[in-house]
Amino acid sequence: MGYPKSFSISGGMGAALLSKPELIHDILTTLRRNLDVPVTCKIRLLKSPHDTVELARQIERTGVTALAVHGRKVPDRPRDPAKWNEITDAALSIPVIANGDVF
């Protein structure tokens, strides 16, 4: 759910899923129920830090093994710096992997 390209968003894929928490839940719980391998998930930051934390907690409750959080919002471009402080707000009981920027 970290991919914000227009062709994936227009098809309801990638970052378009970020606005559909019920569908995220259904996809992740179905994967967990039917796979014998760890399931992880990647998201982008939402409009507010509170919204990001709430989605991260909902994803955590599906039983995924880890969550990657890309430090940009959907409209942000790669040249925009990652918002590291907003990633740290999403502390969970599962590993949270910070993603964005290469130095």
Side-chain angles (χ1 to χ4, degrees), residues 59-90:
I59 290 170
E60 177 184 36
R61 287 192 290 273
T62 68
V64 297
T65 305
L67 174 67
V69 180
H70 186 87
R72 292 182 183 86
K73 298 176 182 179
V74 172
D76 293 343
R77 302 289 33 110
R79 68 183 170 277
D80 299 323
K83 297 166 181 72
W84 297 103
N85 58 325
E86 291 188 37
I87 296 172
T88 60
D89 290 341

Side-chain angles (χ1 to χ4, degrees), residues 14-59:
L17 290 170
L18 294 173
S19 63
K20 300 175 183 176
E22 301 85 19
L23 183 54
I24 293 169
H25 177 271
D26 290 348
I27 290 169
L28 294 175
T29 54
T30 299
L31 289 171
R32 289 268 302 123
R33 185 174 50 250
N34 292 289
L35 296 175
D36 294 327
V37 297
V39 175
T40 63
C41 180
K42 180 181 177 184
I43 64 171
R44 279 189 167 243
L45 297 173
L46 299 181
K47 290 182 181 182
S48 76
H50 173 77
D51 291 343
T52 302
V53 170
E54 286 303 309
L55 180 60
R57 288 180 181 155
Q58 290 174 9
I59 290 170

